Amino acid sequence: MTAFVHRDQARDQARDQASEQAVGRAEPRLEARAKVTGQARYADDHPLPGSAYAWPVRAAFARGRISTVDTADALAVDGVVCVIWHGNAPRLEPGDDPDLLVLQSPEVWYYGQVIALVVATTLERAQEGADLVTVRTDPMAADTVLRADHPGLHEPEIVNAGLPGRVDTGDFDAGFAAAEVRVDATYRTPAEHHNPMEPHATTAFWERGQLTVFDATQASSSVRDTLAALFELPPQLVRVHNEHVGGGFGSKGAPRPNVVLAAMAARCAGRPVHLALGRSMLFTMGGYRTPTIQRIRLGADADGRLVALAHESVTQTSRLTEYTEQCAAVSRVHYPPANLTTSHRVVALDVPPPTWMRAPGECPGSFALESAIDELAVAGSWDPVQLRIDNDTARDAEGRPFSSRHLVECLRAGADRFGWAGRDPHPGSRREGRWLLGTGVAASSFPAITWPSTATARATADGHFEVAVNAADIGTGARTVMRQIAADALGVDEPSVQIRVGDSDIGFATIAGGSMGTSSWGWAVTKACRLLRERLDREHHGQCPPEGVAVVADTTADLAARGEYARHAFGAQFCAVRVDPATGEVRLDRMLGVFAAGRIINPTTAESQLAGAMTMGVSMALLEQSVLDARTGDFVTDDLASYHVAVNADIPRIDVTFLPEADPHLNPMGSKGIGELGIVGAAAAVANAVHHATGVRIRSLPITPAALLAAMPG
Ligand code: MOS
């Protein structure tokens, strides 16, 4: 057997073992047919009798107060049912997220904030009504631009994901001063928007004091709890469905204003209400990734061993909510030297609230770190693959041993498969016609997070099993892999297992985010299924009694009992690009990702996850950029014509390879998260390849033709 398993080999092997275990088998999504035939229903696809439609009126300035709202003309539109604004909106109970306190005050905190909501019998009438709402405002001067010297920058103790804002070890200044080879560079990434295919959307209705919503969310349990708190209801009176979700990438990780507005509108209108945001609204109400400014300083000895590393991150948040992206966290994991400083400063601006997006922290952080490592390799004339191998480590910066870490193996396998050997390190040394060719490499990692969840397993008298876990299948194949896990834990064939996800009434389960879904839900499913199997064997001689048997499992205690490890998945990204020196055009030729992410539950869906994330990394490197109008605080690139994402023509070839990895310190499946791993390091690999092709180092994403042309000699 080869050292690593390519996807084709994985498929062959999977076929050979088809009768054995379900986990590890390459399988298509259970809902594939429902999706391609249009049967799968998303949040706005639930026609209910007597439905109304809501359309928001949004603030057209970044900061200020609303003095008057005149709804008379809107209410005069035939079919308009009601217009809700802060003067008549039902009161909400304040909770953790002030952005969800919609229509509660005349204060405006960001451009695009919803200041009124029109409900009508058709969408068109709601939109017409929204156009006729007259709002008088008192705008104030707005502060909307992130700068590294902004006087409002402060350093939070805790940043996103509950991580410490600062981790320092040794003496950075002394280590840096004593280094033989140094890099000191500042990297910038722009604001970026998620752009899932399905917009944020909600269908909501009230019935006998109970609230039901169909919401485009990555976490229906948390939407349920949030709505219950805002509307002061016992949680059991709120039910949140998310059977199918058309992507999220973090933007649907926390409840967004649309779900609160829809619930409020349904209450006011006394009928079911649909609220599907328009694409442009996602650019303010759906969250985005903060722009980042990251200074990296690296010092190495004469042999290319890192002796000092500083990673200082500057990002923005909104005045309404505090969110600090953990960009420097990745520098505590990849190659933390003895002398390390990692810090985060953030400033609250008059901008929409930033949020989680596609590997928050690790993604922009790795662009900076892995670009800087490439700069160090150039400065010291070291091979960038070997330099990373030479700086491998057994512990993270906080001294925790890694539960497993196969970064070196990923780098070696990747170099082999990609054809790295014999690469001429000199920039601009390879040409093909008018094109300059280059290759680049970067390391990847993402925390292997697991959170408590519950699951239910039920045996029925006809010999079938029903397994329910409140997973959110956001296009990842969650229900498919949950069934694989359940079948193995029950010791039965997959077709005898029916899996149910996407309904908060199933019971608490954690978010489809932080790449924690499969590990968290799968643990609960495994536990429930094993308990059910034990009970059937012990109490019923392995047979199911006529009344059926059900078991509920909760993994809270199991998680608390785990040892103290640094748990991360690792990978290596290799990239080949070509650059036209006359136009500055960059084309991707091919990309290879080699990943060690524990046990791969389903090679088909896993490959799709990683190839998708790598595509987003290329997109981030070359295309994605949200442009803010500093005067208004408005993201003006608010459609898919002006906000560019990579499409098929941009991505000729992406290969994903998994390295088998057994890690006993994770969960019963031995799985690590794979959703976000593929984007980490991807943009740096592209940027490093562009440097190799041209000799030009672009430290500010995206690498546009204009930026390249401006930097290229002649
Ligand atoms: Mo992901 S950005 O944690 O949904």
Side-chain angles (χ1 to χ4, degrees):
M1 202 174 128
T2 49
F4 54 85
V5 181
H6 187 248
R7 62 180 197 271
D8 303 324
Q9 296 162 356
R11 277 185 197 129
D12 293 345
Q13 284 173 11
R15 264 194 295 276
D16 296 339
Q17 303 161 356
S19 60
E20 298 296 325
Q21 287 201 308
V23 168
R25 200 183 285 159
E27 292 187 8
R29 289 168 173 74
L30 289 171
E31 74 285 9
R33 180 174 291 271
K35 280 185 175 165
V36 298
T37 56
Q39 301 298 303
R41 292 200 292 173
Y42 294 82
D44 194 39
D45 296 336
H46 298 270
L48 299 165
S51 275
Y53 299 81
W55 197 248
V57 178
R58 302 186 304 147
F61 58 96
R63 184 182 190 185
R65 271 180 83 86
I66 301 160
S67 49
T68 61
V69 176
D70 184 344
T71 62
D73 290 350
L75 286 166
V77 173
D78 185 34
V80 167
V81 178
C82 59
V83 179
I84 312 168
W85 58 290
H86 69 263
N88 67 0
R91 294 299 104 192
L92 298 170
E93 183 61 27
D96 298 336
D97 184 352
D99 198 20
L100 299 180
L101 295 175
V102 294
L103 308 178
Q104 298 296 291
S105 91
E107 300 297 328
V108 171
W109 299 93
Y110 60 88
Y111 187 102
Q113 180 184 318
V114 175
I115 53 179
L117 190 72
V118 179
V119 185
T121 51
T122 69
L123 178 60
E124 292 72 19
R125 284 168 176 164
Q127 290 172 331
E128 186 186 349
D131 282 345
L132 295 172
V133 174
T134 311
V135 182
R136 255 187 254 291
T137 58
D138 301 317
M140 296 160 62
D143 178 11
T144 59
V145 179
L146 178 66
R147 317 190 310 260
D149 62 351
H150 196 292
L153 283 165
H154 65 282
E155 191 180 328
E157 267 178 45
I158 301 293
V159 295
N160 186 45
L163 298 175
R166 178 176 281 275
V167 171
D168 289 359
T169 60
D171 182 339
F172 169 77
D173 289 332
F176 191 64
E180 291 281 331
V181 182
R182 292 187 202 91
V183 167
D184 180 350
T186 297
Y187 303 87
R188 287 181 171 78
T189 62
E192 295 156 353
H193 280 82
H194 313 76
N195 281 302
M197 273 171 67
E198 181 201 25
H200 289 65
T202 309
T203 302
F205 66 92
W206 295 79
E207 207 172 37
R208 293 184 297 278
Q210 297 202 22
L211 172 62
T212 302
V213 303
F214 300 88
D215 190 39
T217 175
Q218 297 169 229
S220 67
S221 290
S222 100
V223 172
R224 195 258 326 248
D225 292 348
T226 301
L227 290 175
L230 287 167
F231 289 95
E232 294 183 90
L233 296 167
Q236 60 272 21
L237 293 188
V238 182
R239 185 170 185 180
V240 181
H241 296 273
N242 60 340
E243 192 189 352
H244 297 288
V245 182
F249 315 125
S251 70
K252 298 171 184 167
R256 302 305 305 151
N258 56 285
V259 71
V260 187
L261 289 165
M264 185 183 270
R267 175 178 270 184
C268 293
R271 54 174 102 187
V273 166
H274 294 269
L275 173 55
L277 299 187
R279 177 65 52 184
S280 66
M281 294 177 185
L282 302 189
F283 284 80
T284 52
M285 289 165 69
Y288 62 100
R289 192 200 300 285
T290 170
T292 76
I293 304 170
Q294 301 173 68
R295 183 182 182 196
I296 304 252
R297 282 172 288 168
L298 302 177
D301 67 15
D303 298 324
R305 298 283 191 295
L306 278 174
V307 292
L309 192 168
H311 191 159
E312 295 158 301
S313 171
V314 169
T315 59
Q316 75 189 34
T317 186
S318 64
R319 279 195 210 279
L320 199 49
T321 59
E322 174 139 321
Y323 169 85
T324 308
E325 183 126 345
Q326 73 277 30
C327 298
V330 69
S331 287
R332 303 167 185 167
V333 172
H334 281 197
Y335 335 92
N339 306 299
L340 173 82
T341 179
T342 54
S343 65
H344 300 86
R345 286 181 304 147
V346 69
V347 57
L349 301 176
D350 300 307
V351 293
T355 188
W356 308 314
M357 173 168 160
R358 308 180 194 154
E362 279 76 13
C363 173
S366 66
F367 167 66
L369 174 66
E370 293 294 323
S371 292
I373 292 284
D374 200 67
E375 299 209 45
L376 183 69
V378 171
S381 299
W382 295 303
D383 175 73
V385 173
Q386 192 60 44
L387 179 63
R388 288 172 169 85
I389 291 172
D390 289 344
N391 282 290
D392 193 41
T393 171
R395 288 174 185 270
D396 72 1
E398 291 167 273
R400 288 175 294 236
F402 290 104
S403 63
S404 60
R405 173 179 169 118
H406 293 97
L407 174 57
V408 168
E409 290 78 359
C410 290
L411 286 161
R412 291 213 168 103
D416 190 34
R417 190 170 186 89
F418 187 79
W420 186 265
R423 173 187 188 255
D424 184 337
H426 297 98
S429 55
R430 282 176 66 217
R431 271 182 179 273
E432 194 181 284
R434 72 176 200 271
W435 298 97
L436 296 168
L437 308 185
T439 53
V441 63
S444 174
S445 75
F446 197 78
I449 306 169
T450 313
W451 272 20
S453 291
T454 64
T456 303
R458 179 177 288 109
T460 58
D462 63 1
H464 284 79
F465 297 90
E466 291 166 12
V467 176
V469 60
N470 188 24
D473 195 330
I474 58 174
T476 50
R479 52 166 64 70
T480 310
V481 299
M482 285 307 117
R483 193 176 75 155
Q484 292 175 270
I485 290 167
D488 283 1
L490 289 163
V492 301
D493 287 341
E494 282 186 82
S496 56
V497 181
Q498 216 189 358
I499 200 92
R500 200 156 71 83
V501 302
D503 177 354
S504 66
D505 270 10
I506 290 171
F508 176 81
T510 191
I511 178 177
S515 299
M516 71 178 85
T518 297
S519 297
S520 307
W521 310 321
W523 192 336
V525 164
T526 301
K527 187 174 179 182
C529 290
R530 285 182 184 167
L531 287 172
L532 177 63
R533 174 51 68 198
E534 275 169 37
R535 184 180 299 177
L536 287 173
D537 291 346
R538 195 176 60 238
E539 296 173 16
H540 305 284
H541 310 290
Q543 301 298 311
C544 185
E547 69 277 16
V549 180
V551 169
V552 181
D554 182 331
T555 58
T556 307
D558 308 83
L559 273 156
R562 297 195 306 173
E564 263 289 294
Y565 287 97
R567 296 178 174 86
H568 301 264
F570 289 90
Q573 309 259 16
F574 290 81
C575 173
V577 300
R578 57 186 55 222
V579 180
D580 183 337
T583 64
E585 180 185 7
V586 179
R587 302 299 305 179
L588 179 75
D589 274 346
R590 63 193 171 102
M591 198 153 178
L592 165 70
V594 179
F595 301 99
R599 192 153 168 228
I600 300 302
I601 311 287
N602 180 336
T604 299
T605 52
E607 182 203 338
S608 169
Q609 285 268 289
L610 286 154
M614 289 165 70
T615 300
M616 290 174 180
V618 175
S619 195
M620 171 189 180
L622 300 177
L623 299 166
E624 292 190 45
Q625 167 166 229
S626 295
V627 178
L628 189 93
D629 181 336
R631 298 161 303 174
T632 60
D634 177 25
F635 286 113
V636 292
T637 44
D638 63 354
D639 58 30
L640 293 174
S642 52
Y643 185 92
H644 294 166
V645 296
V647 296
N648 273 341
D650 296 309
I651 309 291
R653 188 173 153 201
I654 285 189
D655 287 317
V656 175
T657 294
F658 298 113
L659 215 58
E661 181 177 71
D663 183 333
H665 306 296
L666 300 170
N667 54 60
M669 300 81 63
S671 61
K672 292 177 177 176
I674 53 170
E676 290 157 290
L677 177 62
I679 195 172
V680 182
V686 174
N688 296 342
V690 168
H691 175 265
H692 185 230
T694 62
V696 171
R697 179 71 62 182
I698 302 292
R699 300 189 182 90
S700 185
L701 294 183
I703 304 171
T704 59
L708 257 185
L709 279 185
M712 285 209 289

